[in-house]
Amino acid sequence: MQRGSLGMFKCFMFDINDVLLSTAVSGVVNTGRPLKMAAELHPRSGKLIGLSNSNRTARRNQPVQEFNHGLVLSKEPLRDRDVFTVRIDKKVNSWSGSIEIGVTALDPATLDFPSSATGLKGGSWIVSGCSVLRDGRSVLEEYGRDLDQLAEGDRVGIQRSSRGELHLWVNGQDCGAAASGLPPKLWAVVDLYGKCTQVTVVSCEPPPPSAERERETIDCSHNRPDKFPNNLEPDTGKKILYGGNANNSPASNGGLGPGALTGGMTTNDALLFHEKCGTLIKLSNNNKTAERRRPLDEFNNGVVMTNRPLRHNEMFEIRIDKLVDKWSGSIEIGVTTHNPNNLDYPATMTNLRSGTIMMSGCGILTNGKGTRREYCEFSLDELQEGDHIGLMRKASGALHFYINGIDQGVAAAQTPGVVYGVVDLYGMAVKVTIVHNHNHSDRLRRNNAIMRALSPDVGRPRPSLSLTPDPEGPDRLLFHPNCGQKAAIISDGRTALRPHATDDFNHGVVLSSRPLRSNEVFQVRIDKMVDKWAGSIEIGVTTHNPAYLQLPSTMTNLRSGTWMMTGNGVMHNGTTILDEYGHNLDRLKAGDTVGVVRKEDGSLHFFVNGVAQGPAAWNVPPSVYAVVDLYGQAAQATIMDDMVDLPPLPEDSSEGPMVMSPGSPCSVGGATTTSDLRFHQLHGTNAVITNGGRTALRQNCRSEFNDAIVISNRCLRDGELFEIVIQKMVDRWSGSIEAGVTAIRPEELEFPNTMTDIDYDTWMLSGTAIMQDGNTMRNNYGCDLDSLTTGSRIGMMRSASGDLHYYINGVDQGVACSGLPPEVYAVIDLYGQCVQVSITSSSGPLDNSLCTSNITEKSFPIHSPVAGVAHRLHSKHGKNVVLLGEGCQAVRVGGYAHGIVFSAKELKADELFEVRIDEVDEQWCGSLHIGLTTLAPPELPSCPLSGLSPSLPHLRTKVTWLLCGSEVLRNGVLQRQNYGCSLDRLTVGNRVGVKRCSDDTMHIFIDGEDMGPAATAVAKNVFAVLDLYGRITAVSIVSSSLMEEVESIKAPSLSSDSCSEGEEDITPPCALVPTIMAFLENHGKNIQLSNQNLTAARVSSYNQGLLVTAQPLARQQLFQVIDRLNPSWTSSLSLGVIGHSPDRLNFPSTACCLKRSTWLLQRDSVFHNSLKICENYGPNLDTCPEGTVLGLLVDTNSCLHLYVNGMDQGVAAQDIPSPCYPFIDLYGQCEQVTIVTNNVPAVGGESGETRCQGDMEKADMVDGIKESVCWTPPPEVNPNKTCEYQALCSRFKDLLTLPDGYFSEDAKYNLCYCESCHKLRGDEAYYKRGEPPRDYALPFGWCRFALRIKPHCEVSNALKKWHIAYHGTSVGALRRTLDHSQLLPGTSSVFSVSPVKVEGPNGYSEPEENMSPGREVPRVRLSPTMRYSGLEIFAPKVQFRDPRSHRCHQAQVGFQVCVRPGSYKVGPQTLGHSEPLDPRFSNSEIEWITKEQGGTLLYGLLVRIE
């Protein structure tokens, strides 16, 4: 009781003190607690805000179109200690950034609301991300939780404490003091910015007393104590009641483990530096920042440790804030078992001889002694300000270090369980800060250290250490204080920023404080970016002195003495002198670097991420100042003093034609014992080896085209594939990569300009020519290296017989030459257009079985395994299976069965095992089987498994669950029918997977979509099992923790089948199945891509909507798009082709600004390079209605054609280059386009025929408009888009739960034939179709839903030459009919099977020869009119309740089909009707009977509702 009374007394005294302190601040005496503040928002708010819920909920309108103008304030000023808390209700993914919260002294009743909270002035403190801003300027960089990472449902609050401090609360936890000295009268501020679109005020009241007391006691201890308690007992598990301890500093808990404090608050739980530290250390920023005092006089005594032990798998990461260039050596980091409370800190941590593991330089020291001399490719001594260093002790005990977020691997295998993080601010390292949010690579991480380590200096001497006592001396390059009116200079002149970058895009010009010396590199790092504007950083030089210059809004406006790199061009005095110069600056991200140097010869060079872009200008005068224009997206940049991370300038290499990369891991002598193929450290003058020897690039690629030969680090073994992928190309030169082998050892090779200059022991492929010793020995080899593009793969293999094979994208091109010696090295010449290549993971020995069989002649693709593949196939498999790619691929090499394969390991719960279909063989029927089995493949006998079942349904030795077609089997016994999409419809590119869920169910996934539970009560210890049966002959594993897509073209969807390789193409050119096209990620700034880059939408304004395809347009291929319009604007879409690669294209605001190799169709005119070359061509594109299909085609004569709704408008332009890329400008009214991918849409109703162009007739004219008659007809647009009958039929179809994969993706192919719809279209009642033509009636009164049709050669004939008919069926027969893609005798309808009627020698159903009397023959009834097929006896009515109106209706279903002429017999109706059923068709010819399986083709589901 006494202890409880004392506790009550303490609480009472606490509140009294608060009241007294509040009174002292406000001057108002309150006898008790004031009335509770209203938890409401002020009615005045940002212009896009809508308030509801009694002003407690705020929503930002137009969240996808607008990202700001979402400010709201509290209705009343905050009372001390009240936490104004809001809940995040909704977020969108369209933007970066998220909720911002804070306080302001500005009265909302009179406030002129800015666009965002960071624009508030006059006493405003805002928490944005993990930074704190006062009046728009940053005062604290790393604070609390990162608000950008909060999710829907999280709560965030703001509080002014009784001491005038600002506190942020996240989900009920105090993040500590963010600012102090706040005025007493403040309103809460919430900015619904970026991703955050809706919040609700949940409370405005003081925090719980326990949390408040806990924080108050923490805040009381500002002074460093003389004695540190040792209360660390990590293994006792005792809980310590916080609040009664005399020593309550944040560090005094001695590093308590999780849960040690009852409060569990972030301030105590977060990793901080311990208060006890080295004698020269000064702590700040709530013990998150450590700085060594007197850095120019002392180089050691800078050890700091964490305030608690590290948890398992917890990242301890620091950022280097400050370095000095006086000392050798730099920061060291590691772990120790010593408790900081008990430790007598040494001068340097490596002096400690027990319990300590440190990373120093690039090595590992354990207890002060070196245990690993070359731990990683990075050296801590080479890191720069802004770089990040981290470490993590894994649960397994392994210690890992991280440099700029990159895992360097295991440094120590067995680390003690209780360790503290330790940092030694040694030598050059002066100041570091603990980083708590580790997902900020886009904002803080830099590429310099990575580039430096992976691309080491080539022949450049390292600058000597400065001996001047003050590195901040007058010679140091800084920004001049005179800067643009919207810019500011901070960090002692090293950093320039636009504080209000989201409000203004220009007036951000800054200059260097002194002129540049000759050969002095001025380099800046982009620190911050905003994504609101177009354009970005610009850099250059000027002769103008910044002290006297009247700074312009942008530097390119200056008309004298100025050279600037802007975008990917160079401007002199405001005029473009180089159009395509180097890397596009507008594509840079935060962390990238740009630089400029004026050389002694007067030439000007630019650098991007340390890579020289070549000479940009000549005769530049000597005294020039560096210029940076923080334009558009660029918001902040910092000068980088170090020149170490730059490669040599073009003439810096003086070692001759053979240059060694000293920092490469390959450069250790004799490092040829490893089995991994790498590039040798010896290479041509212009070549650079990076990425641990896996990547080679040609530096100065725009000024140098040769001298870039690279060679493998060892000889190729017999049957070993050496494969590289082209990663970068330039369009500046002719010619491209050359590849081959040589018997010359790299150490003996004097690298020539090109490898074809070698006249002995060398075999090369150049273009299509095979060359031996520099002489052409064979032309027109199976591939052309000059035609390869970025992403293409090239491989070389010497077979055991001495033959040289080349592989292009995994496909063997055949024998190139024979008689090669046994020891040859692979050679790559980075010549001409080819700039960078990397060795792929497919390099290495091919499967042994492949070397001794004929599989290589089959030319199936050998895909590189997906990065991070988690699964492999077991070595035990069916006798017709060959495994490739380290067990990632399976190929059936013979027959149609014996293709069973297993996963290498048992599947864990909820673990997905997924494969992709790589190859099909249409000569077989049947398809892949997939499931789970308790049969353990290790228990099987050795391969080949001739005793294994030929197919999965027969595998019954152990319990097996599998999906076969759309049927689920258990040990071969049927368990379920009509499950998901039928596996029989799988084709190349589709993905299928199996998962055993934690609820003991088996789920099948098709193209990533869960088909639901297929089986229950599945055993726990199961393997995935697949059967490469029938059509499916090759699969590869794609299930991965990363799920990276390695294909350059997106796999087709489930039902978008492609024509098999073995079929002859007998269709005219318009019937060719085209290459899948998609839009390129590089596009105008207002474009947003979706639908696997098949759909592009303009999300704001009326321009900046340019987009281009990722793939070039092949000759005779029709590229089509369908558009969506917004009548709010004028003008509309324009389109055309561009004759150069779009990867580095700098997109202007409109297409008419494209002036290089461009052909544009705009309105009714044709433009070439912005000049009009033709008028009155085709229809006016500005008047095309929504739904119009526009297409582009380049014919074999290189002529460009425009197609409108499938109609060729004739030649628009000639001499179109190859390759060319279609581009579209979403301008004005046109806001969205979608690439038409299903090239066989549903056959039309009213216009009838789908023929090739030579078959046009007058019947093709409907209402004076010529309809589509080409292979890819336009969508038949329903003019009555709000048809209620069609909507009712659609809801009924949805109730049938038929898989979407059976239906056409484009809803515009669905047609309603109700009275109003068909009259609006002007449909005729009857049309003709087929050869010979035969009448059919339109299905008036029905609604058609188009079915997906395979783009198959036979199908094209069906659409042109077959007849149209109808078939009535029952609802219960729909699914099975769709599963088999054709009408099935015996199951399709209630009258599909009937006895043969013998009506005499002239009867239509005369018995067949040798047929016994009374035998039943399966027959399908059809009719050319639904007036007969739609009778209730054929199409039984079913009753259903409309889910919208809740009214009951009766519905019927049927099919619209194509029928092969000659496959059916015409006869009379068999129902005994005497009245004519259809005026066009006699009752004696109204019924068609077919017995041929495959004689019908489904292309429409018909629904009628009464």
Side-chain angles (χ1 to χ4, degrees):
M1 290 296 294
Q2 291 177 350
R3 180 173 297 180
S5 302
L6 180 60
M8 293 173 60
F9 177 73
K10 286 184 177 182
C11 294
F12 173 74
M13 290 301 295
F14 194 90
D15 288 342
I16 291 296
N17 290 334
D18 281 349
V19 172
L20 293 176
L21 183 58
S22 174
T23 303
V25 173
S26 62
V28 179
V29 178
N30 295 312
T31 58
R33 184 75 180 169
L35 292 175
K36 185 177 180 180
M37 173 185 167
E40 297 180 17
L41 298 171
H42 199 280
R44 294 192 74 243
S45 57
K47 66 179 183 180
L48 291 180
I49 287 294
L51 299 177
S52 60
N53 188 20
S54 301
N55 285 359
R56 294 169 63 91
T57 298
R59 179 174 60 88
R60 190 181 80 234
N61 296 318
Q62 303 174 16
V64 178
Q65 290 78 24
E66 300 290 343
F67 60 89
N68 54 7
H69 294 290
L71 267 181
V72 290
L73 279 75
S74 60
K75 182 178 180 181
E76 302 172 6
L78 287 179
R79 295 184 312 174
D80 289 349
R81 299 181 52 241
D82 277 357
V83 182
F84 186 84
T85 306
V86 298
R87 180 186 65 236
I88 300 175
D89 295 334
K90 290 183 181 179
K91 296 186 73 173
V92 296
N93 293 321
S94 304
W95 312 102
S96 61
S98 187
I99 189 173
E100 297 175 348
I101 192 169
V103 293
T104 182
L106 303 174
D107 189 341
T110 58
L111 176 63
D112 184 13
F113 282 79
S115 60
S116 65
T118 53
L120 289 170
K121 302 293 188 299
S124 302
W125 290 261
I126 303 297
V127 182
S128 174
C130 54
S131 301
V132 182
L133 296 91
R134 178 179 179 179
D135 292 342
R137 292 182 180 272
S138 178
V139 294
L140 190 57
E141 284 291 337
E142 293 286 342
Y143 168 75
R145 291 277 300 273
D146 188 349
L147 300 187
D148 294 347
Q149 305 304 318
L150 297 184
E152 293 179 358
D154 284 337
R155 301 187 178 200
V156 58
I158 203 73
Q159 177 195 41
R160 181 194 185 278
S161 73
S162 54
R163 292 187 176 86
E165 294 176 336
L166 181 69
H167 285 251
L168 175 72
W169 292 74
V170 178
N171 291 326
Q173 292 186 334
D174 184 7
C175 296
S180 58
L182 273 64
K185 190 175 183 179
L186 295 167
W187 282 265
V189 178
V190 180
D191 190 356
L192 278 65
Y193 183 81
K195 294 181 179 179
C196 181
T197 63
Q198 181 174 312
V199 300
T200 295
V201 182
V202 293
S203 66
C204 184
E205 56 190 20
S210 59
E212 186 75 4
R213 278 199 305 276
E214 201 167 294
R215 194 199 68 206
E216 291 291 336
T217 55
I218 292 171
D219 292 342
C220 288
S221 57
H222 294 293
N223 298 323
R224 180 170 174 169
D226 297 326
K227 186 176 180 180
F228 294 85
N230 181 14
N231 57 4
L232 175 66
E233 298 291 339
D235 297 326
T236 62
K238 295 179 180 179
K239 292 188 176 181
I240 302 171
L241 294 177
Y242 201 93
N245 197 342
N247 187 354
N248 292 327
S249 72
S252 64
N253 62 346
L256 291 167
L261 298 180
T262 56
M265 297 170 59
T266 304
T267 49
N268 301 326
D269 204 39
L271 270 178
L272 305 171
F273 287 127
H274 200 284
E275 284 280 351
K276 186 180 178 184
C277 49
T279 57
L280 292 180
I281 288 296
K282 177 182 70 175
L283 299 179
S284 60
N285 187 19
N286 292 328
N287 288 5
K288 286 191 289 189
T289 298
E291 184 174 6
R292 193 179 81 236
R293 297 184 180 94
R294 306 201 308 271
L296 299 177
D297 302 323
E298 299 286 344
F299 61 88
N300 54 8
N301 288 308
V303 176
V304 287
M305 293 173 61
T306 57
N307 63 329
R308 61 167 173 81
L310 303 179
R311 304 188 185 107
H312 297 336
N313 300 319
E314 180 182 26
M315 173 72 80
F316 170 58
E317 187 176 33
I318 61 169
R319 180 186 66 235
I320 301 176
D321 293 336
K322 187 175 182 180
L323 299 170
V324 295
D325 199 21
K326 182 174 182 180
W327 313 103
S328 62
S330 187
I331 192 169
E332 297 173 350
I333 186 172
V335 295
T336 182
T337 59
H338 294 277
N339 190 319
N341 290 301
N342 303 330
L343 181 63
D344 187 10
Y345 279 75
T348 67
M349 204 62 190
T350 51
N351 290 346
L352 216 55
R353 292 296 183 257
S354 64
T356 303
I357 304 173
M358 299 292 293
M359 181 177 178
S360 176
C362 58
I364 302 297
L365 288 83
T366 303
N367 300 333
K369 296 182 179 180
T371 54
R372 294 188 65 178
R373 187 166 294 180
E374 296 287 339
Y375 164 58
C376 69
E377 297 175 2
F378 293 85
S379 172
L380 299 188
D381 299 342
E382 298 292 333
L383 298 185
Q384 302 298 321
E385 293 175 2
D387 284 335
H388 288 226
I389 317 168
L391 61 86
M392 180 186 295
R393 183 198 180 277
K394 304 280 188 177
S396 62
L399 179 65
H400 291 242
F401 287 90
Y402 296 79
I403 307 296
N404 286 325
I406 299 177
D407 189 353
Q408 303 302 301
V410 177
Q414 293 298 325
T415 309
V418 179
V419 291
Y420 295 80
V422 58
V423 177
D424 193 346
L425 295 177
Y426 181 81
M428 294 187 291
V430 175
K431 184 179 180 181
V432 297
T433 295
I434 294 177
V435 178
H436 283 150
N437 52 322
H438 309 293
N439 55 354
H440 51 355
S441 59
D442 290 339
R443 297 187 285 115
L444 296 176
R445 299 278 163 87
R446 332 167 25 213
N447 295 338
N448 292 17
I450 299 171
M451 287 293 296
R452 181 164 56 253
L454 300 183
S455 183
D457 299 335
V458 184
R460 173 186 288 278
R462 178 171 178 163
S464 59
L465 294 174
S466 173
L467 298 179
T468 59
D470 183 10
E472 307 289 340
D475 271 355
R476 190 177 188 184
L477 271 175
L478 301 171
F479 287 121
H480 197 279
N482 182 30
C483 55
Q485 58 179 317
K486 302 292 185 180
I489 306 298
I490 59 174
S491 300
D492 300 324
R494 296 193 60 214
T495 299
L497 75 156
R498 285 196 348 265
H500 308 296
T502 57
D503 299 330
D504 298 287
F505 60 89
N506 54 9
H507 290 290
V509 176
V510 290
L511 283 79
S512 61
S513 56
R514 64 166 174 82
L516 299 180
R517 303 185 184 97
S518 295
N519 296 326
E520 181 181 23
V521 178
F522 175 82
Q523 184 178 225
V524 299
R525 179 191 67 221
I526 304 174
D527 296 332
K528 292 183 180 179
M529 306 274 290
V530 296
D531 53 4
K532 182 175 182 180
W533 314 105
S536 188
I537 194 170
E538 300 174 351
I539 190 170
V541 295
T542 183
T543 57
H544 296 278
N545 190 321
Y548 311 108
L549 178 62
Q550 184 71 30
L551 292 170
S553 59
T554 64
M555 204 62 191
T556 52
N557 290 345
L558 216 55
R559 293 295 184 259
S560 63
T562 304
W563 293 260
M564 297 293 293
M565 181 178 177
T566 169
N568 59 349
V570 179
M571 301 183 75
H572 175 43
N573 297 339
T575 303
T576 300
I577 57 175
L578 283 179
D579 197 13
E580 293 285 337
Y581 166 64
H583 189 94
N584 193 336
L585 301 187
D586 295 344
R587 299 297 173 187
L588 298 183
K589 305 294 184 184
D592 289 333
T593 62
V594 291
V596 62
V597 62
R598 181 201 173 272
K599 299 183 64 178
E600 288 180 343
D601 60 2
S603 62
L604 189 69
H605 297 248
F606 291 96
F607 294 85
V608 178
N609 285 327
V611 178
Q613 304 297 297
W618 292 263
N619 301 320
V620 177
S623 294
V624 289
Y625 294 81
V627 183
V628 173
D629 192 347
L630 296 176
Y631 181 80
Q633 297 180 1
Q636 179 175 313
T638 296
I639 297 175
M640 308 302 296
D641 296 293
D642 56 324
M643 294 170 52
V644 185
D645 56 351
L646 294 178
L649 298 177
E651 57 264 36
D652 283 350
S653 300
S654 56
E655 283 92 348
M658 185 176 66
V659 184
M660 178 181 287
S661 298
S664 172
C666 305
S667 59
V668 180
T672 60
T673 58
T674 174
S675 62
D676 291 333
L677 282 168
R678 299 287 189 272
F679 290 118
H680 202 279
Q681 74 270 19
L682 300 177
H683 48 70
T685 305
N686 290 328
V688 174
I689 305 299
T690 71
N691 191 19
R694 297 180 181 87
T695 299
L697 60 92
R698 188 177 79 241
Q699 59 181 350
N700 311 320
C701 58
R702 292 193 166 273
S703 56
E704 301 287 345
F705 62 89
N706 56 6
D707 282 325
I709 297 170
V710 290
I711 190 169
S712 62
N713 62 331
R714 61 167 173 81
C715 299
L716 299 183
R717 304 185 180 100
D718 290 347
E720 184 177 32
L721 180 69
F722 181 88
E723 186 183 58
I724 56 97
V725 58
I726 300 176
Q727 294 178 313
K728 185 178 179 182
M729 302 186 73
V730 295
D731 52 4
R732 190 178 181 91
W733 313 103
S734 61
S736 189
I737 190 172
E738 299 177 349
V741 295
T742 182
I744 309 172
R745 291 170 50 84
E747 295 81 2
E748 301 170 355
L749 179 62
E750 296 182 5
F751 286 84
N753 292 334
T754 64
M755 202 63 192
T756 52
D757 293 342
I758 296 289
D759 58 2
Y760 69 102
D761 293 342
T762 303
W763 296 261
M764 298 294 293
L765 174 59
S766 175
T768 62
I770 303 294
M771 304 183 71
Q772 180 178 358
D773 303 337
N775 298 316
T776 301
M777 54 183 297
R778 176 182 174 185
N779 273 316
N780 299 320
Y781 181 61
C783 60
D784 183 3
L785 297 190
D786 292 344
S787 66
L788 298 183
T789 58
T790 302
S792 299
R793 306 195 315 274
I794 312 166
M796 294 92 72
M797 184 193 73
R798 181 197 180 275
S799 69
S801 59
D803 297 333
L804 177 63
H805 290 248
Y806 285 92
Y807 289 78
I808 303 298
N809 295 324
V811 179
D812 186 2
Q813 305 299 305
V815 176
C817 51
S818 304
L820 269 65
E823 294 187 355
V824 291
Y825 295 79
V827 180
I828 300 294
D829 192 347
L830 301 176
Y831 182 81
Q833 295 182 356
C834 183
V835 174
Q836 180 173 315
V837 299
S838 283
I839 300 174
T840 71
S841 55
S842 290
S843 296
L846 294 180
D847 193 281
N848 291 334
S849 60
L850 181 64
C851 302
T852 58
S853 67
N854 295 324
I855 304 176
T856 52
E857 305 301 328
K858 195 176 179 181
S859 298
F860 59 84
I862 304 176
H863 301 285
S864 303
V866 179
V869 167
H871 299 124
R872 294 290 188 275
L873 296 172
H874 201 279
S875 57
K876 307 291 182 64
H877 48 71
K879 67 177 183 179
N880 285 340
V881 170
V882 171
L883 299 185
L884 301 175
E886 300 178 355
C888 289
Q889 298 166 299
V891 180
R892 194 184 77 236
V893 295
Y896 63 89
H898 292 288
I900 296 178
V901 291
F902 303 89
S903 62
K905 298 180 180 179
E906 290 181 357
L907 294 190
K908 301 175 183 177
D910 296 318
E911 182 179 13
L912 176 65
F913 184 91
E914 189 176 33
V915 298
R916 181 184 62 235
I917 310 298
D918 290 339
E919 190 177 60
V920 299
D921 188 347
E922 296 292 350
Q923 70 171 314
W924 306 109
C925 63
S927 185
L928 180 84
H929 306 149
I930 188 170
L932 301 170
T933 182
T934 57
L935 176 63
E939 300 174 0
L940 295 171
S942 301
C943 288
L945 296 178
S946 57
L948 191 62
S949 301
S951 64
L952 261 186
H954 299 96
L955 185 64
R956 299 171 187 175
T957 56
K958 291 291 181 75
V959 182
T960 302
W961 300 262
L962 67 109
L963 178 64
C964 177
S966 60
E967 297 178 341
V968 180
L969 307 177
R970 183 182 184 274
N971 280 7
V973 179
L974 180 65
Q975 303 291 310
R976 182 175 177 183
Q977 289 182 307
N978 297 331
Y979 169 80
C981 296
S982 174
L983 299 186
D984 295 338
R985 301 175 66 90
L986 294 176
T987 185
V988 173
N990 288 138
R991 306 191 321 273
V992 59
V994 63
K995 176 192 289 188
R996 181 199 170 277
C997 296
S998 54
D999 59 354
D1000 297 337
T1001 60
M1002 179 178 77
H1003 287 238
I1004 303 296
F1005 289 73
I1006 297 180
D1007 285 335
E1009 181 181 354
D1010 189 351
M1011 297 290 107
T1016 58
V1018 177
K1020 294 189 180 300
N1021 300 320
V1022 291
F1023 291 78
V1025 61
L1026 296 95
D1027 187 0
L1028 276 63
Y1029 184 80
R1031 296 171 55 249
I1032 307 302
T1033 59
V1035 298
S1036 59
I1037 296 178
V1038 295
S1039 47
S1040 161
S1041 57
L1042 300 179
M1043 289 306 295
E1044 293 178 357
E1045 188 66 52
V1046 298
E1047 301 290 344
S1048 58
I1049 299 177
K1050 181 74 174 63
S1053 61
L1054 169 65
S1055 301
S1056 55
D1057 302 340
S1058 58
C1059 192
S1060 63
E1061 295 177 6
E1063 290 175 336
E1064 275 187 55
D1065 190 358
I1066 58 173
T1067 56
C1070 57
L1072 291 173
V1073 177
T1075 304
I1076 299 175
M1077 305 285 279
F1079 290 123
L1080 187 67
E1081 291 286 353
N1082 182 22
H1083 48 66
K1085 79 180 189 76
N1086 287 336
I1087 288 296
Q1088 179 176 322
L1089 300 181
S1090 60
N1091 187 23
Q1092 290 125 16
N1093 289 359
L1094 297 176
T1095 297
R1098 192 182 73 243
V1099 295
S1100 63
S1101 189
Y1102 62 90
N1103 57 5
Q1104 297 282 358
L1106 269 173
L1107 60 149
V1108 65
T1109 62
Q1111 298 80 21
L1113 183 63
R1115 293 298 194 256
Q1116 290 297 117
Q1117 177 178 336
L1118 183 61
F1119 168 78
Q1120 295 189 116
V1121 294
I1122 184 169
D1123 57 357
R1124 190 187 75 187
L1125 303 180
N1126 179 356
S1128 303
W1129 306 101
T1130 59
S1131 298
S1132 188
L1133 166 146
S1134 57
L1135 72 167
V1137 294
I1138 190 167
H1140 56 86
S1141 175
D1143 291 331
R1144 298 173 57 252
L1145 182 62
N1146 189 19
F1147 286 92
S1149 59
T1150 64
C1152 58
C1153 298
L1154 293 171
K1155 299 182 179 180
R1156 177 186 170 205
S1157 189
T1158 303
W1159 288 262
L1160 173 67
L1161 306 174
Q1162 190 175 61
R1163 295 183 296 275
D1164 61 349
S1165 302
V1166 183
F1167 296 80
H1168 176 45
N1169 295 342
S1170 77
L1171 299 176
K1172 185 182 295 186
I1173 60 175
C1174 178
E1175 286 185 323
N1176 299 320
Y1177 171 79
N1180 189 336
L1181 299 183
D1182 289 351
T1183 63
C1184 288
E1186 181 172 321
T1188 302
V1189 178
L1190 300 175
L1192 295 172
L1193 180 142
V1194 179
D1195 62 23
T1196 54
N1197 296 320
S1198 299
C1199 295
L1200 177 65
H1201 296 247
L1202 170 68
Y1203 282 74
V1204 179
N1205 286 336
M1207 291 296 302
D1208 187 1
Q1209 306 300 310
V1211 175
Q1214 298 176 336
D1215 300 325
I1216 305 299
S1218 179
C1220 64
Y1221 297 80
F1223 70 89
I1224 298 170
D1225 187 1
L1226 298 187
Y1227 185 83
Q1229 292 185 359
C1230 185
E1231 288 189 333
Q1232 178 176 308
V1233 294
T1234 297
I1235 296 176
V1236 177
T1237 56
N1238 48 331
N1239 290 284
V1240 190
V1243 179
E1246 60 274 16
S1247 60
E1249 285 74 6
T1250 303
R1251 303 180 299 274
C1252 284
Q1253 280 183 275
D1255 302 328
M1256 296 183 186
E1257 300 177 1
K1258 290 184 179 180
D1260 297 322
M1261 302 294 292
V1262 177
D1263 293 338
I1265 302 176
K1266 183 173 289 188
E1267 291 295 328
S1268 167
V1269 289
C1270 75
W1271 168 248
T1272 309
E1276 300 170 76
V1277 182
N1278 182 5
N1280 188 9
K1281 295 184 178 180
T1282 60
C1283 177
E1284 290 298 329
Y1285 181 72
Q1286 186 178 25
L1288 178 61
C1289 293
S1290 180
R1291 292 195 294 272
F1292 171 73
K1293 181 182 78 75
D1294 293 340
L1295 293 176
L1296 300 177
T1297 65
L1298 299 172
D1300 292 339
Y1302 292 133
F1303 295 91
S1304 173
E1305 294 177 352
D1306 197 337
K1308 293 185 178 179
Y1309 295 126
N1310 301 333
L1311 284 181
C1312 178
Y1313 291 97
C1314 70
E1315 185 176 5
S1316 58
C1317 287
H1318 81 74
K1319 285 184 177 179
L1320 282 172
R1321 287 193 302 264
D1323 293 344
E1324 299 290 340
Y1326 302 95
Y1327 289 90
K1328 291 181 181 292
R1329 168 64 60 84
E1331 295 180 1
R1334 185 177 285 274
D1335 288 342
Y1336 70 96
L1338 291 190
F1340 288 164
W1342 294 73
C1343 186
R1344 188 188 75 192
F1345 298 94
L1347 297 173
R1348 188 191 297 269
I1349 303 176
K1350 298 180 181 180
H1352 195 278
C1353 301
E1354 182 183 353
V1355 174
S1356 67
N1357 288 327
L1359 296 179
K1360 292 181 294 184
K1361 300 178 181 179
W1362 289 15
H1363 298 146
I1364 293 293
Y1366 303 97
H1367 174 76
T1369 187
S1370 64
V1371 170
L1374 284 179
R1375 176 59 189 268
R1376 184 164 177 81
T1377 302
L1378 291 173
D1379 282 345
H1380 290 80
S1381 300
Q1382 61 181 350
L1383 300 178
L1384 298 177
T1387 60
S1388 323
S1389 75
V1390 293
F1391 273 92
S1392 7
V1393 177
S1394 58
V1396 174
K1397 293 192 293 185
V1398 182
E1399 299 186 357
N1402 298 321
Y1404 75 94
S1405 54
E1406 192 171 2
E1408 294 182 6
E1409 186 177 358
N1410 299 326
M1411 186 182 71
S1412 61
R1415 173 187 166 191
E1416 290 189 350
V1417 178
R1419 297 180 298 173
V1420 176
R1421 280 189 172 84
L1422 304 169
S1423 176
T1425 174
M1426 278 304 288
R1427 296 188 181 186
Y1428 181 72
S1429 291
L1431 293 175
E1432 189 171 356
I1433 194 169
F1434 299 119
K1437 294 180 181 180
V1438 294
Q1439 189 170 353
F1440 78 101
R1441 181 184 296 273
D1442 181 16
R1444 175 173 296 179
S1445 65
H1446 303 291
R1447 295 177 57 190
C1448 291
H1449 302 273
Q1450 287 188 321
Q1452 294 175 277
V1453 294
F1455 286 105
Q1456 193 174 20
V1457 298
C1458 291
V1459 192
R1460 181 189 293 115
S1463 67
Y1464 62 91
K1465 294 183 178 180
V1466 178
Q1469 55 91 10
T1470 56
L1471 302 180
H1473 285 271
S1474 57
E1475 298 292 330
L1477 295 173
D1478 191 295
R1480 175 66 66 96
F1481 305 102
S1482 167
N1483 280 6
S1484 62
E1485 297 180 346
I1486 203 169
E1487 186 176 273
W1488 300 355
I1489 300 294
T1490 178
K1491 296 177 292 184
E1492 290 191 18
Q1493 189 170 357
T1496 58
L1497 175 69
L1498 307 178
Y1499 73 80
L1501 171 66
L1502 299 175
V1503 174
R1504 180 168 67 181
I1505 295 178
E1506 294 180 0

